[in-house]
Amino acid sequence: MTTQTATQTPMSVSFLGLGAMGYPMAGHLVKAFDSVMVWNRNFDKAHQHESEFGSKAVDFETAVSADVIFSCVPTSAQTAELIERAKPYLKKGSVWVDCTSGVPESAIAAANTLQALGSHFIDAPVSGQTIGAINGTLTVMVGGDKSALDFAYPAIDCFAGRIEHVGASGGGFAVKAVNNTLFAVNSWALGEGLSVLKAHGVNPSAALACINHSSGQSFASSATFPDRIVNRSFPKTFTLDLMAKDCGIATDLQQQAKLPAPVMAAVASFMRAASNQVEAGSADFSEFIKFLENWSQVIISDEMTTPKD
Ligand code: NDP
């Protein structure tokens, strides 16, 4: 690490933001650390976490004085608010690990802010959905100082199936945004493909069974469509608003690089339009399909009737 560290291995860890992802992620820390502190804006969740996992619900000032501080909040704007509030209480040498799916420029700004205070910031967004958080199998894509990652590694490892250092500050957020945009592109394209097939009388589940053993296979075809869309269950685990936010981060990166990327840009716009229209703010990401169905008048279910019938 470039500046002094309080300890060679973290003695205390804390987690800020016990949402759909943060709550189970923080639960895994208890397996490896004696002192796991949790804080949440709605503090009842912190008490609930303490009861369920044996962590310790603490006030904000205490939480941010840990050796390793995790955050997992909706956007980089909320992370910046937390860092601003934490500044007077940070321990020199501590490492702030932001698991939010955030904005690369914000990671660079946060890393500079914390470095001036003798601490470190790494962007460490995660992939694997809530089931990956519950099972401790998340993919963690890390941008920032490698020695800061090394220090925090034993804590991150508690909820990770894979940890990859992808480059300097902001690199983790960039990979995460592009990954989710690729997922959105696959999902949208599959929705179009199944609409066409169903309009020609093909059962969507039968089509997916073929696609999942063919070159069109993707996570969307093997998991999202069968588990959420075709069965019309739409479990709320990752909001469409957050998906649209991630696609927007990727298109901002495209603009900054002055690169043409029309497919990514179009699907980012579709996801934003869908999010604005379908239960804005609270719909599951898979409910983007309702927006497409409104256009096509073909419902992606195994029920072989459509609104046209
Ligand atoms: P949730 O909405 O479930 O949780 C958000 C958390 O942030 C809550 O603990 C909430 O506190 C807290 N929070 C919100 N605003 C503030 C604020 N102003 N100050 C302090 N705390 C705040 O979100 P998720 O857990 O689903 O997502 C978190 C991040 O992880 C996002 O960036 C998302 O894109 C990413 N992600 C999500 C995945 C998923 O499957 N859900 C998968 C991979 C990444 P409170 O309880 O008080 O509202």
Side-chain angles (χ1 to χ4, degrees):
M1 214 170 299
T2 48
T3 59
Q4 68 278 25
T5 53
T7 47
Q8 287 309 301
T9 51
M11 299 299 290
S12 59
V13 295
S14 66
F15 209 109
L16 317 175
L18 304 172
M21 294 299 285
Y23 192 90
M25 287 163 73
H28 290 290
L29 298 172
V30 176
K31 294 183 297 199
F33 293 90
D34 293 333
S35 173
V36 177
M37 298 177 276
V38 291
W39 176 88
N40 195 66
R41 181 178 60 173
N42 165 4
F43 204 65
D44 288 348
K45 278 198 210 167
H47 284 306
Q48 189 187 330
H49 199 276
E50 180 176 285
S51 312
E52 188 173 341
F53 292 104
S55 55
K56 185 146 187 55
V58 297
D59 60 26
F60 183 80
E61 292 75 8
T62 307
V64 296
S65 64
D67 294 328
V68 174
I69 306 136
F70 288 97
S71 52
C72 190
V73 289
T75 73
S76 285
Q78 285 94 40
T79 301
E81 283 172 19
L82 294 175
I83 288 176
E84 190 58 34
R85 190 174 158 194
K87 276 179 180 177
Y89 311 105
L90 293 169
K91 184 192 273 186
K92 285 217 179 333
S94 62
V95 175
W96 189 301
V97 182
D98 187 24
C99 298
T100 304
S101 298
V103 176
E105 280 180 343
S106 300
I108 295 166
N112 289 337
T113 300
L114 264 68
Q115 191 177 27
L117 297 168
S119 294
H120 307 270
F121 177 95
I122 55 177
D123 45 302
V126 297
S127 182
Q129 305 196 340
T130 48
I131 188 67
I134 291 164
N135 292 336
T137 55
L138 295 170
T139 298
V140 189
M141 32 209 114
V142 183
D145 187 300
K146 174 70 165 60
S147 52
L149 167 60
D150 290 343
F151 181 65
Y153 197 100
I156 300 171
D157 200 34
C158 293
F159 54 74
R162 182 179 187 96
I163 303 170
E164 196 73 33
H165 184 235
V166 300
S169 277
F173 285 164
V175 174
K176 172 67 188 177
V178 170
N179 175 75
N180 273 21
T181 307
L182 295 177
F183 176 44
V185 167
N186 286 337
S187 298
W188 185 271
L190 183 60
E192 290 185 358
L194 291 178
S195 304
V196 170
L197 289 170
K198 187 164 177 183
H200 284 273
V202 177
N203 172 277
S205 290
L208 285 171
C210 298
I211 291 166
N212 284 329
H213 287 87
S214 304
S215 49
Q217 189 271 342
S218 65
F219 184 77
S221 67
S222 62
T224 305
F225 275 68
D227 299 346
R228 293 170 185 258
I229 293 177
V230 176
N231 64 14
R232 312 306 283 179
S233 63
F234 304 113
K236 290 192 194 330
T237 62
F238 175 47
T239 65
L240 184 51
D241 185 51
L242 289 176
M243 170 71 108
K245 175 255 313 184
D246 292 337
C247 295
I249 293 169
T251 49
D252 285 347
L253 291 172
Q254 165 207 343
Q255 287 296 323
Q256 287 159 16
K258 297 185 178 175
L259 288 178
V263 175
M264 286 170 59
V267 172
S269 272
F270 294 151
M271 290 295 168
R272 175 47 66 202
S275 175
N276 290 349
Q277 186 171 308
V278 184
E279 283 184 55
S282 65
D284 186 62
F285 72 93
S286 55
E287 293 182 71
F288 83 88
I289 200 72
K290 294 176 182 173
F291 182 78
L292 177 58
E293 289 170 346
N294 199 30
W295 281 0
S296 65
Q297 294 292 294
V298 175
I299 304 298
I300 307 300
S301 71
D302 287 337
E303 177 63 47
M304 292 307 279
T305 56
T306 73
K308 283 178 185 164
D309 293 328

